[in-house]
């Protein structure tokens, strides 16, 4: 269980760092992105481990990756070029 938590935290940090590096113009502060990635991954590992029991480490890490990516996607802001202006503006 400790290896799952540690591995998922490292995986979430790596995913958040890559997202912050690639999509810096569409994400809030880097500290918020990194902490959301780690927290999402640890929560995803917990949920996957709880749902599947003593499953394979790889399956738990995939669950952590999915929840971390979903958490990070909630932080994305629309790109400037895709914003629409209202008719009254």
């Amino acid at each position: 269980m400790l290896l799952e938590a540690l591995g998922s935290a490292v995986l979430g940090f790596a995913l958040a760092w890559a997202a912050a590096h690639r999509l810096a113009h569409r994400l809030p502060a880097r500290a918020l992105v990194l902490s959301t990635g780690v927290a999402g991954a640890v929560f995803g590992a917990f949920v996957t481990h709880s749902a599947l029991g003593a499953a394979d480490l790889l399956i738990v890490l995939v669950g952590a990756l999915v929840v971390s990516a979903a958490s990070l996607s909630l932080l994305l802001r629309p790109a400037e070029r895709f914003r629409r202006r209202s008719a009254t503006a």
Side-chain angles (χ1 to χ4, degrees):
M1 180 81 178
L2 182 64
L3 186 61
E4 292 172 354
L6 184 62
S8 65
V10 170
L11 187 65
F13 183 80
L15 181 67
W17 181 83
H21 181 69
R22 177 83 172 107
L23 301 169
H25 61 285
R26 294 185 59 195
L27 288 169
R30 185 176 294 258
L32 177 65
V33 173
L34 294 177
S35 62
T36 301
V38 171
V42 170
F43 181 70
F46 171 72
V47 168
T48 307
H49 182 81
S50 297
L52 300 178
D56 189 24
L57 176 64
L58 184 62
I59 295 172
V60 173
L61 291 180
V62 168
L65 182 68
V66 168
V67 175
S68 179
S71 299
L72 289 172
S73 73
L74 295 174
L75 296 177
L76 284 174
R77 293 180 287 205
E80 289 293 325
R81 64 181 175 188
F82 294 122
R83 280 197 182 160
R84 294 183 186 176
R85 293 191 178 211
S86 65
T88 59

